[in-house]
Amino acid sequence: MRRSRRPKFCLTCSAASRISCSWFTSSFKTVDRLMKDVQSPEGSNDKRLCRCLELQMSAEKTLRTLLSLRKADELAPVGSYDQRKQEEEKRLKNILERLNKLFMEISPPGPSSEIDHLSKNNSEGDVGEDDDKDSSEEEDDNNDDDDNDDSDDTEVEDNDRTVKPQPKPSVYTVLCDFKGEQEGDLPVQKGEVLTIIKKTADGWWLAQDKKGNKGVVPKTFLQPGSRVGDEDDDEEDSDEEDDEDELEEKEEEVREEVADGRDRMRASNWSTVRKALTQIDTTDVLSAMGAIPSGFRPSTLSKLLEEDAKFKASHFVQPELSQSQLSFKDLFLDPDSGRVRARQVRTCVCFTLWSCRMIPTPGVGVQVLSRHVCLCAFDGTRVLSNIHTVRASYNSKNLKTWSFSPRMSGILPTLLNGDCFLRCNALSPNLGVLFELGVTFLRNSTGERGDLSCGWAFLKLTDDAGNPLPNKTYELPVNGGTPYEKDVIGEITAGRRSPTGVFQQMLHARREPKLIVKLKPAKSHTRAQLSLLPDTLLYCLSCVDLLALHRQLLADTLLMDRPTMQNADLICNPVLSTFPVLLDETDLMDALRSAWLEAETSRSRAQKRDLAYLKEEFRKLYMSSVYFLLHSPSLPCYHWADPPSEEQRARVIYATLMALKIQQPTTDQSGSSEVFFDSTHSHLAFDVQELTFDLLQTAR
């Protein structure tokens, strides 16, 4: 691509203005001309795509150069430097958005070999282009400014000439059969010829077969070139027969390598992120329209929580079997006291979410239904615990500041409570807590719902020497993109450079998006209750007492009441069969907490220390409150971030609990079966799963 002449500027113009104006002078008219060409039916679509891709790369390179400039780079003092720089950044971003929309309009469903070749040449020629920049600019200064229009015309012609020599497409031959194991994989057979659309560093390439089907294929199954015409050549056929044994050995090595790679991919949770290669997400469309900031991404943790039940708290609260499958790994009973044996884990911390500040907000055309933070244990590649969600509250006058644990009368709902605990027994030295700031949105034009990630933060729980972090408040920087991406350019990460002056550093620090988290010590009673819980769990700290009682009932049923340890028959226990549901439907957990705390006020000290009495009271209270609600037809299904459904569920829960309290005024009558036969209370059709606890199905 031939450079246009560099316009002359005075010294009063900033370097940012000079860089941006030089790009606009050479390319702004080209963009308008390209928009007109797209509307006309004449012309080659591949050439338009190549021109659009060239302009995109040029604009991105100019934007990177602009972001790297400092005020000290100016030749002379410039007033309002930051304001001018922001204006130029805004102009460049607007052009990039126009080019992205244009690229999506004219891009065909299949791959374009010219575009792949052009992007490769541009990426390889960036270094040489930077080296020759000064010399070419000195030669362009000898020309006049009156010929700018002519230079733009010749520039477009030169762009077309560079595309004319069409290279061979990226064609590969399949070495052995690949059936595909996950959604998004492309099943192929040995000898099939594929066209590679995109190559990625993880070894899974996006390919297209002759029928037009697209999907990802492991690169170790492929070899460069096509052998379609080789079948008619006798000499090449004889060579293939000689190398048949060698190919079979290579196929075995390929299968073993791919099996190892597939295991690593599953362990790193990369399969969810990889699906973005095969489809255009709603987030990309909204980002191109300017409805959301460029640093936003589809929520990774929300996607994992939606697709796989093993990331829910209801999965981690179940007992875990040992390697022999004949005993439990994390559930033991003390024969002397009859209580669950306390277990110490490598990591057990309590922390509080304080607030988030300077978080970018979505633009027009999008209605925000929920602002929240998803938490989990993370080691840099894998999610090691359940994913817990805490909803944030905000002030309509300052939408960029989120807060947690608001003050209210009564108990604080679990969904709004920022006090959490984490128990994890992983050996990873990089273990920490991953915080993904997200929003659930509703698109006004189409009514489509989705989950976006506004950024993420990571708190490593150990220092460089392996010692636990001290209990204090930490301000964590919020990064753009996903935890699997680096150096994402967007509103969150743009301009993150160290200012020179002290006062400028203070102002710059206040404009940075931050998540404030406080590590705190646990009380002695809380520590004792936490030691009874599963080895891996992240949940609200206010529910520890109920989780410990459930753990005690679980140990009694599985370790004491069973005839033999080899017995795996169905167990009649409605509490154990339905309690894990409460961890995912937090409003029902709040109903149980409210009823338990109200009953606790009337207990004596001796009753509070009597474990047998507490277990029996817990069972009675559970059956007369939450168990009845779980199977009530008037309670709507649980839907995340659905205000009408949440309000209706809250009304039904409150009305039902008040009616049951009036009908059962004394504690001795609670838990009786008369309430289930009362004609005034309806009940769903009976299902055996209401009463049975299936050990083989629920145990991890």
Side-chain angles (χ1 to χ4, degrees), residues 434-454:
L434 175 65
F435 304 89
E436 185 186 66
L437 284 66
V439 294
T440 301
F441 69 91
L442 179 68
R443 193 175 176 185
N444 296 332
S445 60
T446 61
E448 186 178 2
R449 288 169 54 99
D451 292 290
L452 291 175
S453 170
C454 307

Side-chain angles (χ1 to χ4, degrees), residues 225-242:
S226 173
R227 296 185 297 173
V228 176
D230 295 345
E231 297 178 357
D232 299 333
D233 195 346
D234 297 336
E235 296 180 358
E236 294 183 3
D237 288 342
S238 60
D239 294 339
E240 291 178 2
E241 293 176 359
D242 295 337

Side-chain angles (χ1 to χ4, degrees), residues 356-567:
C356 306
R357 66 188 186 197
M358 300 306 295
I359 306 301
T361 57
V364 296
V366 173
Q367 178 185 355
V368 178
L369 302 177
S370 172
R371 292 173 172 86
H372 51 268
V373 176
C374 295
L375 308 84
C376 66
F378 193 67
D379 64 350
T381 57
R382 297 178 300 162
V383 175
L384 302 176
S385 70
N386 63 292
I387 300 174
H388 180 60
T389 305
V390 180
R391 182 171 293 176
S393 56
Y394 62 95
N395 189 352
S396 58
K397 297 181 180 179
N398 188 7
L399 298 178
K400 292 187 176 183
T401 301
W402 301 1
S403 59
F404 305 93
S405 302
R407 295 182 179 179
M408 58 178 60
S409 58
I411 66 170
L412 181 64
T414 304
L415 186 60
L416 303 178
N417 198 337
D419 293 336
C420 304
F421 70 89
L422 169 64
R423 280 175 57 87
C424 188
N425 214 16
L427 292 170
S428 175
N430 299 321
L431 179 65
V433 182
L434 175 65
F435 304 89
E436 185 186 66
L437 284 66
V439 294
T440 301
F441 69 91
L442 179 68
R443 193 175 176 185
N444 296 332
S445 60
T446 61
E448 186 178 2
R449 288 169 54 99
D451 292 290
L452 291 175
S453 170
C454 307
W456 60 275
F458 182 71
L459 176 62
K460 187 180 177 182
L461 297 178
T462 55
D463 55 16
D464 296 336
N467 301 317
L469 290 182
N471 295 321
K472 64 177 185 179
T473 303
Y474 296 89
E475 291 190 358
L476 307 177
V478 178
N479 306 282
T482 67
Y484 299 100
E485 294 179 282
K486 294 183 179 180
D487 302 328
V488 177
I489 298 178
E491 289 193 16
I492 295 180
T493 56
R496 186 170 289 179
R497 298 183 304 275
S498 307
T500 54
V502 177
F503 183 70
Q504 292 180 353
Q505 289 180 357
M506 295 175 61
L507 293 178
H508 182 75
R510 295 190 64 178
R511 290 194 295 265
E512 287 290 304
K514 294 290 181 64
L515 171 65
I516 303 175
V517 181
K518 180 180 179 181
L519 292 182
K520 61 180 183 180
K523 298 180 180 180
S524 58
H525 173 72
T526 304
R527 287 198 303 270
Q529 298 288 77
L530 287 173
S531 63
L532 306 179
L533 301 185
D535 290 352
T536 302
L537 186 64
L538 195 157
Y539 206 70
C540 181
L541 196 60
S542 60
C543 302
V544 172
D545 293 339
L546 299 181
L547 293 173
L549 282 173
H550 167 262
R551 198 71 175 172
Q552 186 65 52
L553 293 176
L554 195 64
D556 293 346
T557 304
L558 298 181
L559 302 179
M560 293 182 61
D561 299 340
R562 279 198 303 164
T564 61
M565 291 296 101
Q566 288 76 26
N567 190 314

Side-chain angles (χ1 to χ4, degrees), residues 620 624 663-674:
K620 291 181 179 180
S624 61
Q663 186 175 354
Q664 301 171 355
T666 61
T667 310
D668 295 336
Q669 295 176 353
S670 64
S672 58
S673 59
E674 285 77 7

Side-chain angles (χ1 to χ4, degrees), residues 202 206 222 285 338 407 444 548 632 680:
D202 62 347
L206 181 61
L222 309 174
V285 179
R407 295 182 179 179
N444 296 332
S632 174
T680 59

